[in-house]
Amino acid sequence: MEENWQGTYNAAMDSVNLLNKGKPVGDSDEDWAGTVQRNVDHLKIIVAKDWPAGYDLKPYNDAIAAHA
């Protein structure tokens, strides 16, 4: 099955945007920590893929570094 690179890229940007927004009001520290871990793990999987030229992975790497 062929990879849908744009769809994968967009889904990973959702993780970046969620992390960049920070902890939502009403979330416990524990819930937020779990959300951060799941999204960082997701981004690590994404950046490990063999991406075709033209995709900017810097936002992913920045989000990983900021929340590691």
Side-chain angles (χ1 to χ4, degrees):
M1 175 180 252
E2 186 173 321
E3 181 86 33
N4 174 357
W5 291 108
Q6 191 60 52
T8 301
Y9 188 87
N10 293 344
M13 281 305 299
D14 289 343
S15 288
V16 170
N17 292 331
L18 182 130
L19 291 169
N20 287 341
K21 285 181 184 176
K23 183 176 97 168
V25 173
D27 271 13
S28 70
D29 290 343
E30 184 178 341
D31 286 343
W32 177 241
T35 298
V36 168
Q37 188 61 57
R38 284 188 301 279
N39 283 275
V40 167
D41 290 347
H42 173 231
L43 292 172
K44 286 179 178 178
I45 291 167
I46 295 302
V47 298
K49 291 180 176 280
D50 187 18
W51 283 86
Y55 287 94
D56 179 13
L57 303 182
K58 185 176 183 323
Y60 306 160
N61 289 311
D62 289 349
I64 292 167
H67 295 92

